[in-house]
Amino acid sequence: MTSTHPVSAGGGSQSAASSGGDAPVLSVDPSEDFTPEQLAAQWEDEKPPAAGPLANAASSLVVLGVGIGALVLSVVMGLGTPAAPQPGLWPFMISCVMVVLGLFQLVVGRHNRDAEKFTRLSMAPVTGLVTLAAMVALMPVIGFELPALVLCVIWMRFLGGETWRSTLLVSTLVVAAFYGIFVLALNTSIPHLF
């Protein structure tokens, strides 16, 4: 039989002693013993290196470019008036916000020290965007059920790191809920297989 050592109880000076050697000793997360300053220092040591002013400017220019492109497309779609809006009005307002934020970040954010360099984890948003675009492209061809199921599986398992059991369960429930809401209850014209 192995003996267990006393474990500190949340930063106090008391220790959990075992009575008779057979009582289980609760393990306590070691981070509970750290002060906030120590935790902040640990997080500072573990974070990726700073991106620098050139990367901050480049990311601001990307946001600005996407905002201007969306602004032009929304005007082409037609704006209408607030009383009689056309399809481009809401995207136009969002695009204006993107342009303002891109300009603000370009001017003020170049001195930002919180931005991080691109790492392997930086590809997750790109993967999410590509799989979303693939789903949108496949929906008119094969319906929404299979592309939505594959999208949920990729996002939950590979981007979110969930277990296979929870990934398959939640993905199936999400697709079934969307089918029930948009096809059965609302009878929308969303492309579907069944």
Side-chain angles (χ1 to χ4, degrees):
M1 182 185 326
T2 60
S3 64
T4 56
H5 299 288
V7 177
S8 173
S13 60
Q14 298 175 345
S15 61
S18 61
S19 60
D22 290 338
V25 176
L26 299 176
S27 63
V28 177
D29 186 8
S31 65
E32 290 181 348
D33 292 332
F34 291 136
T35 65
E37 294 80 16
Q38 290 170 327
L39 282 175
Q42 180 183 2
W43 294 334
E44 188 69 27
D45 292 340
E46 293 174 355
K47 76 176 190 177
L54 184 61
N56 288 341
S59 63
S60 301
L61 288 173
V62 168
V63 171
L64 190 60
V66 170
I68 290 171
L71 197 67
V72 170
L73 290 175
S74 61
V75 169
V76 169
M77 290 171 60
L79 301 179
T81 64
Q86 289 188 350
L89 184 61
W90 180 248
F92 177 79
M93 292 189 297
I94 299 299
S95 303
C96 288
V97 171
M98 283 182 69
V99 168
V100 169
L101 289 175
L103 286 172
F104 177 80
Q105 182 67 19
L106 187 62
V107 173
V108 177
R110 62 183 171 191
H111 304 296
N112 185 2
R113 302 262 187 253
D114 291 335
E116 299 172 351
K117 280 189 175 180
F118 285 106
T119 62
R120 186 178 63 82
L121 294 176
S122 304
M123 291 306 294
V126 175
T127 304
L129 183 64
V130 168
T131 54
L132 185 62
M135 184 190 111
V136 170
L138 289 173
M139 274 178 51
V141 179
I142 61 173
F144 83 93
E145 297 95 342
L146 293 178
L149 183 66
V150 171
L151 179 80
C152 285
V153 167
I154 290 172
W155 282 17
M156 289 187 66
R157 176 66 184 151
F158 300 108
L159 298 181
E162 296 292 331
T163 64
W164 276 110
R165 185 174 62 180
S166 65
T167 296
L168 294 175
L169 178 66
V170 171
S171 298
T172 305
L173 289 175
V174 165
V175 173
F178 271 83
Y179 188 87
I181 292 169
F182 292 106
V183 176
L184 299 178
L186 298 176
N187 199 18
T188 62
S189 60
I190 186 171
H192 55 90
L193 283 175
F194 309 107

